[in-house]
Amino acid sequence: MTNRTEPLVSVLMPAFNAEATLAESMRSALASSYSALELVLVDDGSSDETVAIAETLAQGDARVRIFRQRHSGVSAALNFGLTHVRGEFVARLDADDLWHPTKLAKQVKMLTADPATMLTYTHVRYIDGSGRIFRDAAPQNLTGPALCQILYSGIVGGGSSALFCRSVLDAVGGFDERLGVWEDLVMHLKVGAAGQIGCVAEYLTGYRVGGDSSSDLDRSLQAWRLAHKLIECEFPQVPAFVHGWSHARRLLELAEGFAHDKRYRTSGALLAECLANDPVRTSAFLAYRLHRRLLGNRRPLYQPGPLFAEADTDTSYGLSDFDAGLEGHRVRALDQSRERLMRAIDSELSPRPQSTDAAETTAPAAADP
């Protein structure tokens, strides 16, 4: 039973063929120490046992509400769910990710303490199929007005880290259904343009990572090209050089993925595009990678850690040497300098509510980028 003296949190969970992880993810939400919640699950046309698993859990917990739609993609599922949520706050939890029991309580406390804060997020740890930590993401500190900072760095961990004020989701018009990847980044930018964000500086979100396939890389690259065009159009207040830096940073991450997949021609083409958009950071990063290889530094990036549910939320597990500040000093110093610059720019950008009038939308139509 929910405690109605506390504001209701709607946990919005889109699910598509998620039978392998769904039960664990749902239980991690329902085990929250914050009692005033509902779990709104939207099945996006699954063909496996997703709905049956959700219905079994719902039988024992009246907080679970299940909705179904024809397969339309994650953004459409999220928007469909938003029409059914009843909470003052909305938290997205993907059907393969996990939460620490204290996550929602700490985020709600932060949101209710400051009416100007529209979104809070937490630190993130990457987990494997068994729920075991194999690496923590580098801690972030994107707070206050943070539009440019969000674009440059992104809120790590996708959508499962964020808790939103319901009012701002209504104001910005929901998720962009032209995107099936990067939709969370675009939403975070919309919120960052409308208000401030806050960070609960503990590892409270577990982001499950599977093996990326070649088709996943192609899909992510194609989606980023479209997202980049939409972002440039929708956020003209962001300086052009920040758009360029962000574009190069995303392409550099994808270039590494293609290289790991031994698709060197595509990786090389992306690196050339990175150099055209941000020659300083791209060159510094390539020099760091070359230096690391010449030194024979082959320490595995992924280190086995404890189960997410058993880990201390203040302790880092398996940070890479780069994220721990032990190597790549030139790249880190450059990023820190840029982050200071973007904080200064963000402080000058006045938050503005986003129009939801379709007639005023000037973003390009969805097309093969």
Side-chain angles (χ1 to χ4, degrees), residues 17-19 22 46-54:
N17 290 345
E19 63 181 7
L22 178 65
S46 296
S47 58
D48 64 0
E49 295 300 308
T50 292
V51 173
I53 292 169

Side-chain angles (χ1 to χ4, degrees), residues 277-296:
N277 282 274
D278 186 359
V280 175
R281 188 179 189 277
T282 303
S283 298
F285 187 83
L286 292 175
Y288 154 64
R289 283 297 199 194
L290 178 60
H291 180 70
R292 190 172 190 272
R293 181 174 291 272
L294 291 174
L295 290 178

Side-chain angles (χ1 to χ4, degrees), residues 40-329:
V40 177
L41 184 136
V42 179
D43 175 66
D44 186 32
S46 296
S47 58
D48 64 0
E49 295 300 308
T50 292
V51 173
I53 292 169
E55 288 176 341
T56 298
L57 289 172
Q59 289 175 1
D61 198 321
R63 296 176 295 173
V64 180
R65 302 164 61 212
I66 302 171
F67 299 90
R68 304 185 71 177
Q69 67 171 23
R70 296 180 61 182
H71 183 53
S72 304
V74 64
S75 294
L78 288 165
N79 286 337
F80 181 63
L82 285 175
T83 66
H84 294 284
V85 299
R86 299 179 293 204
E88 181 179 341
F89 302 115
V90 178
R92 169 182 170 181
L93 175 59
D94 286 340
D96 57 351
D97 293 341
L98 300 177
W99 284 347
H100 188 273
T102 64
K103 174 184 182 289
L104 289 181
K106 291 172 179 176
Q107 290 183 289
V108 169
K109 182 178 180 180
M110 179 173 286
L111 282 178
T112 55
D114 183 5
T117 300
M118 300 293 170
L119 175 161
T120 67
Y121 66 97
T122 77
H123 294 341
V124 171
R125 26 191 47 139
Y126 297 116
I127 58 176
D128 61 18
S130 65
R132 187 171 295 278
I133 300 166
F134 63 81
R135 181 167 65 92
D136 283 346
Q140 292 183 296
N141 186 30
L142 314 179
T143 58
L147 178 60
C148 292
Q149 297 167 73
I150 294 170
L151 180 55
Y152 185 68
S153 300
I155 295 177
V156 173
S160 294
S161 171
L163 176 68
F164 301 91
C165 290
R166 166 71 183 278
S167 59
V168 78
L169 294 178
D170 292 338
V172 303
F175 291 84
D176 195 319
E177 295 187 15
R178 291 168 289 190
L179 298 172
V181 184
W182 308 104
E183 79 289 338
D184 49 351
L185 172 62
V186 174
M187 174 55 75
H188 297 160
L189 290 169
K190 289 179 180 180
V191 176
Q196 299 186 20
I197 70 172
C199 175
V200 178
E202 296 181 47
Y203 291 98
L204 302 176
T205 303
Y207 179 79
R208 201 182 306 263
V209 178
D212 291 335
S213 67
S214 293
S215 60
D216 291 334
L217 287 167
D218 289 327
R219 179 169 171 261
S220 188
L221 174 58
Q222 183 179 14
W224 169 248
R225 292 200 182 282
L226 175 57
H228 175 56
K229 292 178 182 178
L230 297 173
I231 290 167
E232 282 189 313
C233 183
E234 189 161 353
F235 302 99
Q237 69 272 45
V238 173
F241 66 84
V242 178
H243 283 292
W245 288 351
S246 166
H247 185 48
R249 190 163 182 172
R250 300 310 186 287
L251 292 183
L252 186 58
E253 293 166 357
L254 287 164
E256 286 198 286
F258 279 105
H260 186 265
D261 201 39
K262 296 183 169 44
R263 298 175 64 183
Y264 301 117
R265 180 176 297 180
T266 301
S267 180
L270 291 176
L271 287 175
E273 194 172 349
C274 293
L275 286 166
N277 282 274
D278 186 359
V280 175
R281 188 179 189 277
T282 303
S283 298
F285 187 83
L286 292 175
Y288 154 64
R289 283 297 199 194
L290 178 60
H291 180 70
R292 190 172 190 272
R293 181 174 291 272
L294 291 174
L295 290 178
N297 189 344
R298 300 298 185 93
R299 187 175 75 87
L301 182 59
Y302 307 134
Q303 302 292 315
L307 290 170
F308 175 79
E310 299 173 357
D312 184 87
T313 62
D314 293 316
T315 302
S316 294
Y317 297 94
L319 279 176
S320 70
D321 286 346
F322 181 85
D323 290 337
L326 302 177
E327 60 183 28
H329 303 292

